[in-house]
Amino acid sequence: MLSELQKKLDYVNAYRENRLKTAQDVLENPSLFSELVSICFSPEDKNNHKACWILEFVSYEELHWLQPHLDFFCSNLKILKDESSLRPIAKVTQLLVKSHYKKNENGIKLSEENLQNCIEASFDWLINDTKVATKAYSIRTLYILGNYYDWIHPELKVIIDKDFGDHSAAYKAVAKEVLKKIK
């Protein structure tokens, strides 16, 4: 029998307002959140990508809900392959890393292992054949991490310089923005 969340996800489509409505349902029913995170990292689930879309919207409002799930979230980043799942998860990863380094006691606290998983996944998404939005989020995430790990910016620069000519205007815009900051 389908859970309440699975029934909701069955009706989600790519329209923003439709995704926002389901995200609002989760925000109003926090008990659904653990299952949502679990579905995000269940690639065999037909609603996997939809759960990732919803997680992104929920994370804009309640990123701290992920705190108890960080080990699971970060250690499973590498299992996702579907583009529709990767983009929102790359964005959530960026939000997590940004929050971790904010000088704010309410921020997310990532362990060293969590951070290493984020670094590995972001580099994988950047060098593999993923769509430009996933790459853009990865570049920005790696830029932030490179402010704390001195080896990241040189590696990031090499990859961006090597791939620059092969990508779209959107990729080039993000790449230029980040290259200016790290030179």
Side-chain angles (χ1 to χ4, degrees), residues 150-176:
D150 60 1
W151 64 271
I152 291 178
H153 283 168
E155 289 292 320
L156 181 58
K157 185 181 179 322
V158 167
I159 293 167
I160 291 173
D161 286 343
K162 183 177 83 58
D163 292 348
F164 193 81
D166 301 332
H167 286 289
S168 68
Y171 176 94
K172 289 177 181 176
V174 172
K176 283 180 190 174

Side-chain angles (χ1 to χ4, degrees), residues 14-161:
Y15 290 114
R16 183 178 178 84
E17 62 190 40
N18 184 277
R19 291 180 287 151
L20 281 171
K21 181 190 176 312
T22 305
Q24 191 59 45
D25 288 344
V26 172
L27 289 166
E28 291 169 6
N29 298 288
S31 61
L32 300 174
F33 189 74
S34 289
E35 184 184 0
L36 178 69
V37 174
S38 178
I39 295 169
C40 286
F41 294 97
S42 301
E44 71 286 350
D45 189 306
K46 69 180 171 60
N47 289 323
N48 159 259
H49 64 288
K50 296 176 182 182
C52 294
W53 297 345
I54 304 310
L55 181 65
E56 178 186 3
F57 284 135
V58 171
S59 295
Y60 289 136
E61 301 294 322
E62 300 291 353
L63 187 63
H64 67 276
W65 285 5
L66 270 169
Q67 188 69 54
H69 304 277
L70 289 177
D71 290 343
F72 176 78
F73 180 95
C74 295
S75 67
N76 281 292
L77 291 171
K78 61 189 165 287
I79 72 165
L80 297 177
K81 303 292 182 233
D82 180 71
E83 263 320 314
S84 295
S85 299
L86 287 177
R87 189 210 52 76
I89 295 300
K91 178 60 179 183
V92 173
T93 302
Q94 180 186 336
L95 293 171
L96 289 170
V97 168
K98 202 182 249 184
S99 176
H100 173 76
Y101 287 112
K102 269 192 178 154
K103 305 293 183 240
N104 177 344
E105 65 213 35
N106 299 328
I108 291 292
K109 305 291 182 259
L110 294 163
S111 69
E112 184 59 33
E113 187 176 348
N114 295 156
L115 289 165
Q116 291 301 321
N117 285 326
C118 290
I119 291 168
E120 184 182 337
S122 294
F123 270 118
D124 285 349
W125 297 331
L126 184 56
I127 61 176
N128 289 323
D129 190 24
T130 57
K131 290 191 177 173
V132 72
T134 303
K135 289 182 183 291
Y137 292 136
S138 298
I139 288 171
R140 289 190 171 119
T141 300
L142 289 166
Y143 169 72
I144 296 165
L145 288 160
N147 293 324
Y148 302 91
Y149 295 87
D150 60 1
W151 64 271
I152 291 178
H153 283 168
E155 289 292 320
L156 181 58
K157 185 181 179 322
V158 167
I159 293 167
I160 291 173
D161 286 343

